[in-house]
Amino acid sequence: MRQDTQRLAEDLAVEAALRDAFAPLRARRAPVGPLRVRAAVRWGRGSGASPLPWTAAIARLSELSVAVGMSVMVFIAAFGTPATPAATQTVDEASDPAIHPVPHVSAPVDDSYYIRWLRLDRYVPMQDWLDPSVVRISPLPPLRRVEPPPPAPIEPDRPY
Amino acid sequence: MKRTLRRAASLRPAPHDDGDRRTDRELVYAARVGEEAAFDLLFYRYRDGVYRLSLAITKDPQAAEEVVVDTFARAYHALARLEPDDTLRPWLYRVAINESYDHRPRGVAQTPLDLAEELAMPDDGSPARMAERAEERRVVLAAVGALDEKHRAVVALHYLGDLPLAEIALIVGAPVGTVKSRLHYALRTLRVHLAQHPGLALEPDRPSADMGEK
């Protein structure tokens, strides 16, 4: 009997502590007005369904496709063999620009446009072939050995 | 004990003081035919209760505001099929509880300490007494927060919302006996938990310095 009374007293004490602990919360007021609810209703919140379900589905699908693409790329990069150049390559020496470079002195595109703008487009833009200094030089004739003239005989001293 | 009961009675919210004598059912029917003022009345009637309940669960004022908005937005959309027998409150609170669990901030420590700190009430005692009471509230709220969801919901509805057991049963969707059992289990757990804090002074007839008993 005494135990029951004590337990009841403890329960009451716990209840009082609970009500006391929740007391500050009871003083709170919701800082929300009905206009906010109406705005939420207008924007489709609370209806349980997205206002634009197809948009969400398409967005989700595009995210998924990007994720799959990135995964495939990473997988191939991790396990694929790197591309190696062919062991032998034939080089056309006659037309290889590394062997026979073709000189260009054209100004960069921006500069030529700038010059054209300065000249109000009255002149034809400069072409490579107009510049004699960059015309491709034809092969020189083979060198000939020039024999030096024989030395003149030393003449005796002549009077001035 | 009388003092405790009197204090509990003083905490009980007043009945609808919005000046409109219409019942929830009548207001729902009026809102259904397009009377916006009727829906506003329902909103003003229950927004604070929904907000407090959500605040007790989420411990986040912004999340609680969102819960209020979402709950009443759901109610607006459900007006056509709502058939409140007497009061709309169980339906609203049930939605609010579900929304609160959805809006709970994730990744943040769910300690009721912040709530107790924020909700410090002005006390007519000394600063030391105020600090002591704040610490007591902190311990009690921490103990409530340690309960599992269904017990915590019953405790909050009964001791924060002052709802009768029958209405709590409607809200949680369980028989009244189950609600009693959950409440009993929660009290027993809290009693064991709070007994570990001897400084809490859980004497049965604890004198109360606040709550308007002057």
Side-chain angles (χ1 to χ4, degrees), chain A residues 10-13 15-16 18-20 24-26 28-32 34 36 38 40-41 45-46, chain B residues 1 7 11 40 44 47-48 52 55 65-66 69-70 74 76-77 119 133 137 159-160 162 191 202:
Chain A
E10 288 176 357
D11 281 347
L12 287 174
E15 287 192 347
L18 278 172
R19 294 188 190 282
D20 187 34
L25 201 53
R26 293 167 191 267
R28 293 293 287 250
R29 306 293 299 266
V32 183
R36 196 164 156 192
R38 287 196 195 125
V41 168
R45 277 174 63 183
Chain B
M1 180 171 172
R7 188 171 66 186
L11 289 173
D40 290 353
Y44 286 123
R47 67 169 177 178
D48 289 335
R52 291 168 193 151
L55 195 56
E65 289 178 24
E66 294 291 319
V69 171
D70 286 348
R74 277 184 179 275
Y76 186 87
H77 286 295
L119 296 178
R133 291 184 68 83
R137 286 175 181 144
Y159 292 103
L160 174 65
D162 270 331
R191 192 174 62 216
L202 280 180

Side-chain angles (χ1 to χ4, degrees), chain B:
Chain B
M1 180 171 172
K2 280 182 182 177
R3 191 174 298 168
T4 302
L5 292 177
R6 204 163 57 234
R7 188 171 66 186
S10 71
L11 289 173
R12 198 156 281 145
H16 311 316
D17 50 357
D18 47 25
D20 197 307
R21 296 293 99 190
R22 284 185 286 180
T23 63
D24 291 351
R25 184 188 180 95
E26 292 167 342
L27 288 175
V28 166
Y29 283 143
R32 195 180 290 175
V33 296
E35 186 184 340
E36 289 189 347
F39 186 78
D40 290 353
L41 278 173
L42 285 172
F43 175 79
Y44 286 123
R45 193 172 278 184
Y46 294 117
R47 67 169 177 178
D48 289 335
V50 170
Y51 179 73
R52 291 168 193 151
L53 181 61
S54 173
L55 195 56
I57 295 175
T58 62
K59 302 178 180 65
D60 182 4
Q62 289 185 348
E65 289 178 24
E66 294 291 319
V67 167
V68 172
V69 171
D70 286 348
T71 300
F72 282 96
R74 277 184 179 275
Y76 186 87
H77 286 295
L79 275 177
R81 61 178 189 275
L82 268 181
E83 291 289 343
D85 293 334
D86 184 23
T87 172
L88 188 64
R89 190 165 59 179
W91 188 91
L92 283 175
Y93 280 20
R94 187 166 60 238
V95 174
I97 289 175
N98 293 333
E99 291 280 342
S100 299
Y101 285 127
D102 288 343
H103 280 77
R104 257 187 318 187
R106 290 173 174 81
V108 180
Q110 291 290 311
T111 57
L113 302 178
D114 301 332
L115 192 62
E117 188 77 27
E118 186 186 352
L119 296 178
M121 279 185 80
D123 205 331
D124 52 357
S126 63
R129 177 61 188 151
M130 284 178 63
E132 186 183 347
R133 291 184 68 83
E135 181 61 25
E136 289 176 7
R137 286 175 181 144
R138 195 170 289 141
V139 169
V140 173
L141 289 176
V144 173
L147 296 173
D148 60 12
E149 287 185 0
K150 56 185 181 182
H151 294 98
R152 191 163 62 231
V154 170
V155 167
L157 287 169
H158 190 62
Y159 292 103
L160 174 65
D162 270 331
L163 301 185
L165 295 181
E167 197 168 339
I168 296 175
L170 284 177
I171 293 171
V172 300
V176 179
T178 305
V179 173
K180 281 183 185 174
S181 168
R182 287 181 187 174
L183 200 58
H184 176 73
Y185 175 84
L187 283 180
R188 193 178 62 190
T189 307
L190 289 174
R191 192 174 62 216
V192 171
H193 188 91
L194 297 179
Q196 299 170 358
H197 297 272
L200 204 56
L202 280 180
E203 65 272 14
D205 219 357
R206 192 172 56 170
S208 58
D210 60 355
M211 317 311 291
E213 292 186 2
K214 296 176 183 175

